[in-house]
PDB file of all heavy atoms in Angstrom:
ATOM      1  N   LEU B 312     -95.048  70.023   9.770  1.00 79.00           N
ATOM      2  CA  LEU B 312     -94.917  71.069  10.751  1.00 79.00           C
ATOM      3  C   LEU B 312     -94.739  70.427  12.206  1.00 79.00           C
ATOM      4  O   LEU B 312     -93.861  70.860  12.925  1.00 79.00           O
ATOM      5  CB  LEU B 312     -96.059  72.128  10.779  1.00 79.00           C
ATOM      6  CG  LEU B 312     -96.466  72.730   9.587  1.00 79.00           C
ATOM      7  CD1 LEU B 312     -97.685  73.425   9.681  1.00 79.00           C
ATOM      8  CD2 LEU B 312     -95.216  73.674   9.102  1.00 79.00           C
ATOM      9  N   ILE B 313     -95.550  69.453  12.494  1.00 78.00           N
ATOM     10  CA  ILE B 313     -95.415  68.912  13.879  1.00 78.00           C
ATOM     11  C   ILE B 313     -94.330  67.971  13.918  1.00 78.00           C
ATOM     12  O   ILE B 313     -93.744  67.995  15.011  1.00 78.00           O
ATOM     13  CB  ILE B 313     -96.774  68.065  14.125  1.00 78.00           C
ATOM     14  CG1 ILE B 313     -97.956  68.939  14.090  1.00 78.00           C
ATOM     15  CG2 ILE B 313     -96.670  67.294  15.431  1.00 78.00           C
ATOM     16  CD1 ILE B 313     -99.288  68.405  14.143  1.00 78.00           C
ATOM     17  N   MET B 314     -93.839  67.325  13.019  1.00 79.00           N
ATOM     18  CA  MET B 314     -92.796  66.413  13.138  1.00 79.00           C
ATOM     19  C   MET B 314     -91.500  67.027  12.729  1.00 79.00           C
ATOM     20  O   MET B 314     -90.424  66.313  12.665  1.00 79.00           O
ATOM     21  CB  MET B 314     -93.054  65.141  12.135  1.00 79.00           C
ATOM     22  CG  MET B 314     -94.350  64.340  12.375  1.00 79.00           C
ATOM     23  SD  MET B 314     -94.342  63.699  14.051  1.00 79.00           S
ATOM     24  CE  MET B 314     -93.102  62.473  13.941  1.00 79.00           C
ATOM     25  N   ALA B 315     -91.422  68.292  12.532  1.00 72.00           N
ATOM     26  CA  ALA B 315     -90.136  68.822  12.156  1.00 72.00           C
ATOM     27  C   ALA B 315     -89.091  68.660  13.410  1.00 72.00           C
ATOM     28  O   ALA B 315     -89.428  68.487  14.535  1.00 72.00           O
ATOM     29  CB  ALA B 315     -90.426  70.499  12.280  1.00 72.00           C
ATOM     30  N   PRO B 316     -87.917  68.422  12.795  1.00 65.00           N
ATOM     31  CA  PRO B 316     -86.828  68.190  13.820  1.00 65.00           C
ATOM     32  C   PRO B 316     -86.732  69.291  14.881  1.00 65.00           C
ATOM     33  O   PRO B 316     -86.954  70.606  14.737  1.00 65.00           O
ATOM     34  CB  PRO B 316     -85.516  68.185  13.055  1.00 65.00           C
ATOM     35  CG  PRO B 316     -86.025  68.033  11.627  1.00 65.00           C
ATOM     36  CD  PRO B 316     -87.330  68.655  11.632  1.00 65.00           C
ATOM     37  N   SER B 317     -86.520  68.818  16.235  1.00 57.00           N
ATOM     38  CA  SER B 317     -86.402  69.836  17.265  1.00 57.00           C
ATOM     39  C   SER B 317     -85.191  69.252  18.185  1.00 57.00           C
ATOM     40  O   SER B 317     -84.773  68.177  17.993  1.00 57.00           O
ATOM     41  CB  SER B 317     -87.586  69.933  18.004  1.00 57.00           C
ATOM     42  OG  SER B 317     -87.778  68.674  18.822  1.00 57.00           O
ATOM     43  N   SER B 318     -84.894  70.127  19.222  1.00 47.00           N
ATOM     44  CA  SER B 318     -83.793  69.649  19.901  1.00 47.00           C
ATOM     45  C   SER B 318     -84.259  68.781  21.002  1.00 47.00           C
ATOM     46  O   SER B 318     -83.489  68.386  21.924  1.00 47.00           O
ATOM     47  CB  SER B 318     -83.066  71.014  20.619  1.00 47.00           C
ATOM     48  OG  SER B 318     -84.128  71.696  21.283  1.00 47.00           O
ATOM     49  N   ALA B 319     -85.514  68.531  21.117  1.00 50.00           N
ATOM     50  CA  ALA B 319     -86.164  67.672  22.118  1.00 50.00           C
ATOM     51  C   ALA B 319     -85.684  66.212  21.968  1.00 50.00           C
ATOM     52  O   ALA B 319     -85.781  65.726  20.854  1.00 50.00           O
ATOM     53  CB  ALA B 319     -87.752  67.784  22.066  1.00 50.00           C
ATOM     54  N   PRO B 320     -85.467  65.541  23.009  1.00 50.00           N
ATOM     55  CA  PRO B 320     -84.933  64.199  22.981  1.00 50.00           C
ATOM     56  C   PRO B 320     -86.195  63.313  22.585  1.00 50.00           C
ATOM     57  O   PRO B 320     -87.321  63.730  22.797  1.00 50.00           O
ATOM     58  CB  PRO B 320     -84.452  63.836  24.377  1.00 50.00           C
ATOM     59  CG  PRO B 320     -85.016  64.782  25.280  1.00 50.00           C
ATOM     60  CD  PRO B 320     -85.329  66.045  24.425  1.00 50.00           C
ATOM     61  N   SER B 321     -85.995  62.222  22.033  1.00 53.00           N
ATOM     62  CA  SER B 321     -87.208  61.291  21.811  1.00 53.00           C
ATOM     63  C   SER B 321     -87.686  60.754  23.096  1.00 53.00           C
ATOM     64  O   SER B 321     -87.160  60.733  24.081  1.00 53.00           O
ATOM     65  CB  SER B 321     -86.509  60.098  20.817  1.00 53.00           C
ATOM     66  OG  SER B 321     -85.819  59.257  21.587  1.00 53.00           O
ATOM     67  N   SER B 322     -88.870  60.173  22.829  1.00 53.00           N
ATOM     68  CA  SER B 322     -89.608  59.905  24.124  1.00 53.00           C
ATOM     69  C   SER B 322     -89.049  58.590  24.573  1.00 53.00           C
ATOM     70  O   SER B 322     -88.313  57.822  23.818  1.00 53.00           O
ATOM     71  CB  SER B 322     -91.162  59.579  23.731  1.00 53.00           C
ATOM     72  OG  SER B 322     -91.252  58.564  22.928  1.00 53.00           O
TER      73      SER B 322
END
Side-chain angles (χ1 to χ4, degrees):
L312 299 173
I313 294 166
M314 299 302 289
S317 74
S318 60
S321 67
S322 67

